Amino acid sequence: KWFFCRYYPSCLLSGKVVSSSLIRKLILEGKMEEAAQFLGKFLRRTGRVVRGDGRGKLLGYPTANLSCNPELIYPANGVYLTMTQIDNSCYASLTNVGVKPTFSDNNSLVMETHILNFNGEIYFKEIFIFFLERIRPEKKFANESLLKKQIEEDIQLAYKVIANKYERQLQLNKVTL
């Protein structure tokens, strides 16, 4: 038997060859905007909301906690501007990918998403998180007060980034801001 292969020339975008290796590298470096250009869409991670430690709620910023599938790649540890889809609604959100260094010495990767302007019960629901861009790297804080101050700053920065870069796109997609 003879097998025939079809050759396709390399595809260039911004002077770079589009490849799965390049896309993985960009994701692992937290370069979500650039990765989205090569993917043709924002990176999406899906998960069922599980109960966490409840610290976010105590700080005034509840989070949806998702366990990470070890077979998938995740963005570099840090805080990301994201969109979260719950059922048929989308919300602007901030997602921390990392190991929660302020509260744990455990190196288990977790995703925690604070959904802006959302106040619903979503435990055990499957949600979709779309990564838009990295806000900052993950860091360890000396106390909860400093962490809370940083979260407030992250939220303010998120609204500025949305207003400057994503507002029109999010409005077209009916994302709750």
Side-chain angles (χ1 to χ4, degrees):
K1 286 186 172 181
W2 290 92
F3 295 97
F4 294 94
C5 296
R6 186 171 287 188
Y7 170 77
Y8 290 97
S10 298
C11 178
L12 293 176
L13 182 64
S14 301
K16 296 180 182 175
V17 176
V18 177
S19 71
S20 58
S21 298
L22 173 63
I23 294 168
R24 276 193 300 276
K25 179 181 180 291
L26 293 170
I27 291 168
L28 291 169
E29 291 174 353
K31 297 178 179 176
M32 305 316 296
E33 291 176 282
E34 198 174 347
Q37 288 179 328
F38 288 97
L39 280 169
K41 59 186 177 183
F42 294 115
L43 176 72
R44 179 183 86 174
R45 287 293 168 254
T46 304
R48 194 161 306 282
V49 178
V50 297
R51 291 203 185 273
D53 299 326
R55 283 193 195 98
K57 194 173 195 174
L58 290 174
L59 292 171
Y61 302 101
T63 58
N65 296 277
L66 287 83
S67 41
C68 296
N69 180 342
E71 295 178 11
L72 299 176
I73 63 167
Y74 290 87
N77 290 8
V79 176
Y80 292 84
L81 175 60
T82 53
M83 281 187 313
T84 299
Q85 181 182 344
I86 304 166
D87 298 325
N88 292 321
S89 298
C90 285
Y91 302 87
S93 52
L94 284 171
T95 300
N96 183 72
V97 176
V99 296
K100 301 192 284 188
T102 301
F103 300 108
S104 174
D105 292 328
N106 184 347
N107 284 331
S108 297
L109 189 67
V110 295
M111 281 195 316
E112 299 178 292
T113 299
H114 174 64
I115 304 166
L116 304 175
N117 300 314
F118 180 80
N119 191 17
E121 182 63 49
I122 57 173
Y123 282 117
F124 311 112
K125 276 190 176 259
E126 184 173 51
I127 65 173
F128 304 91
I129 298 173
F130 299 86
F131 289 83
L132 305 183
E133 72 178 73
R134 191 173 191 200
I135 299 291
R136 65 172 174 83
E138 184 178 48
K139 53 185 165 179
K140 184 173 184 167
F141 295 91
N143 57 53
E144 288 182 11
S145 176
L146 292 174
L147 172 59
K148 185 174 180 176
K149 184 176 184 282
Q150 181 65 61
I151 292 170
E152 291 166 3
E153 291 174 11
D154 292 344
I155 290 171
Q156 293 308 311
L157 179 58
Y159 280 120
K160 285 179 186 172
V161 172
I162 289 168
N164 291 331
K165 290 173 110 174
Y166 297 105
E167 189 165 31
R168 177 90 174 115
Q169 186 176 4
L170 296 180
Q171 286 174 345
L172 287 173
N173 289 299
K174 298 182 170 101
V175 174
T176 301
L177 305 174

